[in-house]
Amino acid sequence: MTWTNWVGNQSFAPVSSASPRDEEEVVALVRQAAERGQGVRVAGAGHSFTPVVQTDGLLLDLSAMRGVVATDPAARRATALPGTLIRDFYEPLWDVGLALRNQGDIDTQQIAGAVATGTHGSGTRYTSLSGVVRGVRLVTATGDVREVGEDDLDLLHAAQVSVGMLGVVTQLELEVTEAYRLREQVGLRSWDDVMEHWGQLVAEHRHFGMFWLPTEESGALYNLDGHGERLADQCYVKVYDEVGPEAPDDDTVGRRVDRCYRIFPMVYDPNFHELEYFVALDRAPEALAAMRELMQRSLPDSVYPLEVRTVGPDEAFLSPQYGTPTVVISVSGTPGTDYWAYLRSVDALLADYDARVHWGKLHFMTPERLHALYPRAADFIALRRELDPDGMFLNDHLRPLFA
Ligand SMILES: Cc1cc2nc3c(=O)[nH]c(=O)nc-3n(C[C@H](O)[C@H](O)[C@H](O)COP(=O)(O)OP(=O)(O)OC[C@H]3O[C@@H](n4cnc5c(N)ncnc54)[C@H](O)[C@@H]3O)c2cc1C
């Protein structure tokens, strides 16, 4: 069996694979792998661009362990199995007056996979999905089941962004919010206009995100429709704000009003290899100006849009938002071209801004930078070693950073 990720830039052949149907089967498989001295990794929905799923041992597919298993409107909590897709939360939560607090550009990731890499949406008042994890059931390297909760905050903060290194996640409890509806406003604005109103755009809207389009062709690469307007050097700006029941549903493109979960998701084609870095929010304007200049110099390698979002702070040890709100800076290389020099130049530029990385997107993290940029990295590694001294859940990509 050969496993390939969604975008097609990572593939490998595990020695064996299995699709357990419940936690008991996961426990048996992990124990068996431990006896054989085999490594174990879990595949989510394969939407990471980095080799975070790769294993030369046992590959687990938990897509049969899927579904929201409990909701508690009073406590604003939802509990789900690991293979639950983001979109599987919508109806069960809405039916009891709840919704995910925030979400990203797509909704086809599995919740355990999305949480493992700190998947986020936009808005400084909201954390990533990892930041709302309040409990995790974990099958560790011994095959024991650990219930990680708010009574052990260090372990919880390690488990919130673990890239699969602490064990197999078999259940997650999330803090959710009251169901809400959103109004989207989408439009093209000049770079200078966006930068002049940067503070206001970020502070005043629930969600502010934009794509700066370096060329006329850039919008189409992410399915962004300019409706005939000039796109080159323009910002495709999206803001979402909560509305009350007095605002009727509206399906006018770029002005929709609807349930939150119908507004958030976008449609992407598997035609880009993405890098995503995070810079402390107070340095956003200077980092963004430097990025625009670098991208203008790097054409045609930099033809994909520069996506810009924000995320609120959290306490997860490996989170890019550990202790600080961030601006999110994403760029892509064109599959089939040698985009590495371009991505390395982005890495070098953003290193000057102490950028942290998205573990699921292309990056050039080194052990030195990890420890300089993530104050709790050593604590994560200590807990990882305690739970998995033989490194059963590490792989070739993660070992150099986290062994
Ligand atoms: C088109 C597209 C849009 C995207 N949009 C966003 C966005 O808006 N915001 C954002 O932050 N990211 C975004 N991403 C990145 C994506 O959300 C992350 O890479 C996420 O981790 C993918 O989830 P997945 O279910 O596909 O997991 P995978 O990529 O399959 O796995 C991710 C990690 O989770 C581990 N894992 C999965 N399940 C378990 C489990 N049960 N136990 C232990 N470990 C497990 C895997 O081993 C791996 O290390 C996007 C990616 C794509 C391709």
Side-chain angles (χ1 to χ4, degrees):
M1 173 246 188
T2 299
W3 183 90
T4 303
N5 66 342
W6 175 81
V7 80
N9 70 328
Q10 304 292 342
S11 61
F12 64 93
V15 165
S16 54
S17 60
S19 306
R21 284 160 302 177
D22 56 30
E23 189 179 79
E24 218 175 296
E25 289 187 16
V26 173
V27 167
L29 285 158
V30 168
R31 289 208 168 125
Q32 206 175 61
E35 278 161 23
R36 294 176 181 162
Q38 255 187 338
V40 178
R41 296 291 297 167
V42 183
H47 277 64
S48 297
F49 297 84
T50 41
V52 285
V53 171
Q54 183 270 333
T55 177
D56 46 17
L58 169 67
L59 181 66
L60 296 180
D61 165 10
L62 304 191
S63 51
M65 294 172 64
R66 176 175 176 184
V68 175
V69 292
T71 51
D72 183 342
R76 295 187 185 172
R77 296 288 168 101
T79 305
L81 297 174
T84 309
L85 304 185
I86 303 294
R87 60 171 55 159
D88 295 337
F89 283 88
Y90 296 163
E91 300 288 343
L93 263 58
W94 194 270
D95 287 349
V96 294
L98 295 173
L100 294 174
R101 283 171 60 84
N102 211 6
Q103 60 184 88
D105 283 352
I106 57 163
D107 58 6
T108 46
Q109 308 98 318
Q110 295 182 7
I111 187 64
V115 162
T117 64
T119 294
H120 60 84
S122 192
T124 52
R125 297 195 288 274
Y126 303 91
T127 67
S128 68
L129 284 166
S130 300
V132 296
V133 171
R134 297 289 172 262
V136 174
R137 281 178 75 88
L138 201 58
V139 177
T140 63
T142 50
D144 293 311
V145 179
R146 281 287 284 264
E147 283 218 44
V148 183
E150 290 167 287
D151 54 344
D152 187 348
L153 281 179
D154 272 4
L155 191 52
L156 181 65
H157 292 148
Q160 282 174 329
V161 180
S162 72
V163 203
M165 290 183 279
L166 300 184
V168 181
V169 172
T170 53
Q171 189 167 289
L172 293 125
E173 186 188 357
L174 306 183
E175 185 179 329
V176 293
T177 191
E178 265 177 46
Y180 57 99
R181 292 165 66 251
L182 289 175
R183 179 196 306 281
E184 79 172 356
Q185 296 178 74
V186 181
L188 290 168
R189 294 173 73 158
S190 72
W191 177 272
D192 289 346
D193 181 32
V194 170
M195 287 303 129
E196 195 181 317
H197 298 99
W198 171 261
Q200 210 181 330
L201 283 164
V202 168
E204 288 182 2
H205 298 286
R206 186 188 208 277
H207 168 119
F208 156 76
M210 74 161 187
F211 297 85
W212 173 67
L213 308 170
T215 74
E216 209 52 44
E217 292 71 44
S218 302
L221 296 170
Y222 280 174
N223 299 321
L224 306 173
D225 190 348
H227 300 286
E229 288 189 54
R230 184 178 64 83
L231 294 178
D233 199 20
Q234 296 283 306
C235 299
Y236 182 99
V237 175
K238 294 201 302 183
V239 296
Y240 305 152
D241 291 295
E242 287 184 36
V243 290
E246 73 289 348
D249 281 359
D250 186 344
D251 62 2
T252 312
V253 177
R255 294 284 176 276
R256 291 177 304 156
V257 177
D258 214 326
R259 294 180 181 187
C260 52
Y261 62 77
R262 293 184 184 142
I263 298 291
F264 283 120
M266 297 175 57
V267 177
Y268 284 93
D269 301 319
N271 63 348
F272 62 103
H273 291 174
E274 193 175 18
L275 167 151
E276 185 168 292
Y277 280 26
F278 303 81
V279 169
L281 191 61
D282 54 4
R283 301 187 74 187
E286 44 170 331
L288 292 174
M291 277 299 300
R292 175 172 174 246
E293 210 224 319
L294 180 146
M295 289 178 70
Q296 281 171 329
R297 268 189 282 124
S298 307
L299 286 167
D301 291 336
S302 53
V303 65
Y304 278 81
L306 166 72
E307 186 177 10
V308 178
R309 290 174 284 178
T310 64
V311 191
D314 64 42
E315 296 173 272
F317 292 174
L318 296 186
S319 166
Q321 285 79 41
Y322 177 82
T324 180
T326 65
V327 64
V328 185
I329 297 176
S330 326
V331 297
S332 290
T334 311
T337 70
D338 183 1
Y339 47 71
W340 291 104
Y342 164 53
L343 295 188
R344 278 200 176 277
S345 68
V346 172
D347 172 75
L349 183 148
L350 293 178
D352 288 344
Y353 294 89
D354 296 330
R356 295 173 179 162
V357 305
H358 192 307
W359 300 110
K361 304 197 185 180
L362 301 174
H363 64 77
F364 302 93
M365 185 53 70
T366 62
E368 296 70 34
R369 279 163 77 180
L370 176 77
H371 289 280
L373 295 168
Y374 298 76
R376 304 298 302 268
D379 295 321
F380 178 87
I381 292 170
L383 281 168
R384 192 209 64 68
R385 287 181 183 152
E386 204 180 300
L387 289 173
D388 180 18
D390 297 330
M392 171 193 243
F393 295 111
L394 292 177
N395 68 12
D396 293 346
H397 170 68
L398 297 165
R399 206 169 286 112
L401 292 171
F402 300 107

